[in-house]
Amino acid sequence: MIPLFKVAMSDKASALVGDVLDSGYIGQGAKVDAFESALAERLDNPRVLTVNSATSGLHLALHLVATEAGRDGEVLATALTCTATNWPILANGMRIRWVDTDPATLNMDLDDLARKITPSTRAIVLVHWGGYPVDLDRLRRVLDQAERVHGVRPRVVEDCADAWGATYRGVALGGHGNIAVYSFQAVKHLTSGDGGLIVLPDDELLARARLLRWYGIDRDGGAARFKNDIPEYGFKFNMNDINAAIGLANLEIVDDLLARHRENAAFYDTELSDVDGLELTERAGDRDPSFWYYSVKVDARDAFARRLAEARIATSEVHHRNDTYTATRGSRALLPGLDAVAERQIALPVGWWVSDEDRAHIAKTVKAGW
């Protein structure tokens, strides 16, 4: 079976982890510092903070928003995503209000977003689906209009879990004035075993997040730091040196892996552009996607998946719409764009492990019909 996801691990990871284990110190230490410095350089952004998962990063981001703007407001969010995107909204005591999906991109529909921002909107949580960046200039104009009309400018939290290496207008995600959260979970482009990264738009938020990542305690507060005042309670969201060592090793290989994802995606873009019953997603020239998976929209999705499984090709819808769960029942809304694609979208293998022969086999199988 050609898998949809696969763990990428540098040959150097074992030795780096071994060094940490032999050091006698495996918590947040020198390796975490080194990993953060390397990530800051790679993103060309100094305001980065590692965490133990992207979910923790999203929780911390929403906590910062909630304590800044109030927990009694709503958060505009997309239902087409992993539950890890939306559960931190609920965990912070805030209300979800669903924004529709753009059928062309599978990202948030920014026209619907513009209609739904109100004075009660505290934050917007968006996802770069499969690593395809949202139109962030259009988003900025939506926020400008909301500020003029409502006198509020909601914080934006970008879920970049699928999008390591993706850029919008040549700038890495996290560099456009919003809070951004990356994932280093096991099967991501860049893995640290598990972990994540939160990118902050200003130094004040960075300073708060650094404290709140570890109980609200200043880790640089000296030997008696536990006796120092804690003005704001925090969490246990920090990364450890074991995960950081894995991440440092894999940072050396991720660019080559990402290039292969893009090469395979370009092959599919050409080969699958005119297949009956299949529709490709948008490609805009102002953004460079990361293609964590390759999404298409197909008629008769179940038949499509069965046919590819028979050819030993893994497929998946990857995520189920979040608005159908009991946990979100109170947030139900009419979402015609999502309805149009929810039962059609499916992902094909596109990663570094997909050889020239594999991708040719995938394209031939799809073009033969289902």
Side-chain angles (χ1 to χ4, degrees):
M1 184 73 75
I2 302 171
L4 191 63
F5 300 115
K6 192 172 182 178
V7 174
M9 192 60 61
S10 167
D11 293 339
K12 298 180 180 180
S14 295
L16 284 180
V17 170
D19 290 344
V20 172
L21 296 177
D22 292 342
S23 74
Y25 189 92
I26 62 175
Q28 179 189 337
K31 283 291 190 290
V32 170
D33 292 342
F35 191 33
E36 289 182 350
S37 294
L39 292 167
E41 181 177 358
R42 188 65 61 93
L43 293 174
D44 193 25
N45 191 330
R47 292 183 294 273
V48 302
L49 205 66
T50 53
V51 285
N52 55 15
S53 73
T55 307
S56 293
L58 290 166
H59 188 112
L60 181 53
L62 267 298
H63 178 82
L64 292 170
V65 170
T67 51
E68 180 181 66
R71 296 182 185 274
D72 60 339
E74 66 187 15
V75 177
L76 299 180
T78 176
L80 186 61
T81 184
C82 177
T83 52
T85 304
N86 290 315
W87 279 194
I89 301 172
L90 301 179
N92 276 282
M94 305 174 86
R95 301 191 308 275
I96 294 174
R97 187 179 183 198
W98 298 122
V99 178
D100 207 357
T101 297
D102 179 355
T105 63
L106 304 182
N107 283 330
M108 180 179 282
D109 182 334
L110 298 183
D111 291 333
D112 192 45
L113 174 68
R115 289 188 291 268
K116 288 180 174 174
I117 296 176
T118 74
S120 297
T121 304
R122 298 291 179 260
I124 297 160
V125 178
L126 59 83
V127 176
H128 303 288
W129 177 266
Y132 186 78
V134 169
D135 186 341
L136 294 172
D137 279 356
R138 166 75 176 124
L139 174 65
R140 177 179 47 78
R141 292 193 296 272
V142 168
L143 294 173
D144 289 345
Q145 176 67 10
E147 192 168 20
R148 285 192 295 268
V149 173
H150 302 298
V152 297
R153 190 179 188 90
R155 286 279 189 187
V156 174
V157 179
E158 301 178 36
D159 184 337
C160 306
D162 301 348
W164 177 261
T167 63
Y168 179 80
R169 304 215 165 182
V171 177
L173 302 180
H176 299 88
N178 306 316
I179 302 173
V181 179
Y182 285 95
S183 174
F184 303 143
Q185 184 263 348
V187 295
K188 301 299 186 185
H189 294 93
L190 174 61
T191 181
S192 60
D194 206 350
L197 185 76
I198 181 169
V199 187
L200 286 309
D202 59 64
D203 291 337
E204 182 179 349
L205 277 180
L206 175 65
R208 278 190 67 210
R210 179 175 283 114
L211 288 175
L212 300 186
R213 174 178 62 170
W214 201 67
Y215 303 122
I217 297 171
D218 182 0
R219 293 177 66 92
D220 298 323
R225 60 192 176 197
F226 297 102
K227 295 181 180 180
N228 296 334
D229 185 38
I230 301 174
E232 185 178 3
Y233 78 87
F235 308 93
K236 183 65 168 66
F237 286 166
N238 61 295
M239 181 177 281
N240 62 54
D241 274 8
I242 296 172
N243 291 123
I246 296 171
L248 279 166
N250 287 327
L251 196 57
E252 296 183 10
I253 66 171
V254 70
D255 289 345
D256 289 339
L257 304 181
L258 183 60
R260 183 61 184 179
H261 282 248
R262 288 173 170 150
E263 289 171 12
N264 286 335
F267 176 84
Y268 293 148
D269 283 351
T270 299
E271 292 293 316
L272 304 180
S273 62
D274 59 355
V275 175
D276 288 342
L278 182 146
E279 184 182 356
L280 302 182
T281 55
E282 176 192 277
R283 300 287 180 268
D286 61 359
R287 62 208 80 173
D288 198 0
S290 62
F291 295 107
W292 185 48
Y293 43 82
Y294 186 90
S295 285
V296 294
K297 293 166 281 184
V298 299
D299 298 337
R301 184 174 65 185
D302 289 347
F304 180 89
R306 284 195 299 271
R307 176 66 193 94
L308 267 65
E310 291 167 0
R312 302 196 60 76
I313 302 164
T315 61
S316 173
E317 63 183 274
V318 185
H319 301 305
H320 184 68
R321 54 189 297 171
N322 289 185
D323 59 333
T324 62
Y325 299 121
T326 300
T328 55
R329 182 164 46 198
S331 302
R332 297 281 169 84
L334 292 175
L335 303 171
L338 178 55
D339 292 341
V341 295
E343 301 303 319
R344 297 187 66 219
Q345 68 86 15
I346 194 166
L348 299 173
V350 73
W352 53 269
W353 59 92
V354 177
S355 67
D356 289 358
E357 294 76 14
D358 288 338
R359 72 189 190 187
H361 170 60
I362 292 168
K364 181 179 179 181
T365 301
V366 171
K367 289 193 285 188
W370 57 96

